[in-house]
Amino acid sequence: MKIVDVEVIEFKHDWYKPPVPHKWGYGNPDNNNKGEVIESIIKIITDDGAEGYMIGGDKKIIENNLKPLLVGQNPLEREKIWTWMEHANAYKNTLSLNEEQAGYVDCALWDLFGRMTKLPVHKILGGSRDKVKAYASTFPNMGGPEDYAKHAIACKKMGYKAYKIHAYIAWDPIKWEPAPLMPAFPDEDLEICRAVREAVGDDMVLMLDPFAVYTLQESLKVAKELEKLNFYWLEHPMMETKIEAYRRLTSQTEIAILSPEHAKGGVSTRAEWILQGASDMIRTDIHFGGITGCYKTVSIAQAFGIQCEMHGGGWGNSHLLGAFDESTCEYYEHGLLKPGRDYSIPPIYLKETCDPLDTDGNVILPQKPGLGFDLNWDYINDNLV
Ligand SMILES: [Mg+2]
């Protein structure tokens, strides 16, 4: 069997538009507006009719840089292709972009294998569980402490047993306007954390993700306060280029420090973080080497007896979560959520969402062959770009 074509199909649909970027690039709370957005799907075609798909992918990078590596190859040789893509990244010196795109391509190869064998990818990878505990992951800048407290109570009523706060990110909570990412607002962030803990009581797991806006001193201060509030983890508090600062933070705090989330270099970078003792738990997602790369990362974490918490949900990460048990990958990140946004409705090009929630706060994992999505091709073909 050989790959004969790799195509990235682009189409339009009405969905939540990304927030209008302000000059600091992130954090505008006005993100409940719907409008026309462009989505893409990778399609891998073989000479014997087998096909693989993944939602997402940059048409230019995949068709120009990665397709030439793939055409003529056996799509079942995922490890060989993964190694080629990893090395091609270095050669082209566009690592971070290509690493993400190679991740999408790797997911499409797993989808192809799953469709061929009529098995969900998580069963091929290992098959550990069919549902995963979810945490409600908030949008940043949702309002004041009382707004977060109300939202956390609503999430608890929906069945969530855990709640992760994105507080003030690139947003000034006093002037209520865009702000540079640093200096941050750690005292105001802590007010939200206190209000949420008070509102939900002691039996809800809580986490904070400041999205890299703190200094080391701010991180230490916030970590100590979160320990008093019995928070589970402090995620990605500083720029992940500052590994020594992370090592000091981790060695001086009790609360679990969870990082790196965005550091490029996939499994290799995460292995180095473990070696450095730079965090208590590591983090990855399919943008860092796809399912093949993440499986290596999670396996290394498992070997060292530390957790690897998947960043975000979606059709790729779901299968890593299904392949490992909760002693290694504990939670599914569900969201982002905010009041007025119904997360349970799929976009029109999909027949169902990948992560429905049960009444006990678990995400039910996909069970259809491959990655498990059911695409509405009539809609997609009528709305091609
Ligand atoms: Mg995060």
Side-chain angles (χ1 to χ4, degrees), residues 164 166 209 211 235-236 261 283 311 333:
K164 189 175 92 182
H166 292 99
D209 178 4
F211 206 76
E235 174 179 327
H236 184 200
E261 175 173 299
R283 192 152 176 77
H311 169 226
E333 180 167 16

Side-chain angles (χ1 to χ4, degrees), residues 116-138:
M116 274 179 67
T117 54
K118 300 189 169 54
L119 290 167
V121 168
H122 58 89
K123 289 285 186 271
I124 302 169
L125 289 171
S128 185
R129 52 187 164 160
D130 295 314
K131 58 182 185 181
V132 183
K133 291 191 293 190
Y135 60 84
S137 187
T138 77

Side-chain angles (χ1 to χ4, degrees), residues 201-272:
D202 292 331
D203 61 341
M204 196 171 200
V205 174
L206 298 178
M207 305 88 150
L208 175 68
D209 178 4
F211 206 76
V213 298
Y214 294 164
T215 62
L216 174 56
Q217 292 309 314
E218 288 168 340
S219 301
L220 282 163
K221 177 183 169 182
V222 169
K224 300 286 181 199
E225 290 303 310
L226 294 184
E227 285 166 7
K228 293 180 202 161
L229 295 169
N230 193 26
F231 269 51
Y232 184 36
W233 74 51
L234 171 60
E235 174 179 327
H236 184 200
M238 303 177 286
M239 293 280 288
E240 291 171 339
T241 43
K242 303 176 193 313
I243 294 177
E244 175 58 15
Y246 268 95
R247 204 187 57 73
R248 292 181 188 210
L249 175 66
T250 298
S251 69
Q252 292 173 42
T253 50
E254 291 293 324
I255 189 173
I257 305 299
L258 172 61
S259 235
E261 175 173 299
H262 289 155
K264 62 185 180 180
V267 56
S268 304
T269 299
R270 280 139 189 88
E272 290 292 343

Side-chain angles (χ1 to χ4, degrees), residues 282-293:
I282 58 166
R283 192 152 176 77
T284 194
D285 67 63
I286 55 98
H287 298 110
F288 300 93
I291 288 172
T292 300

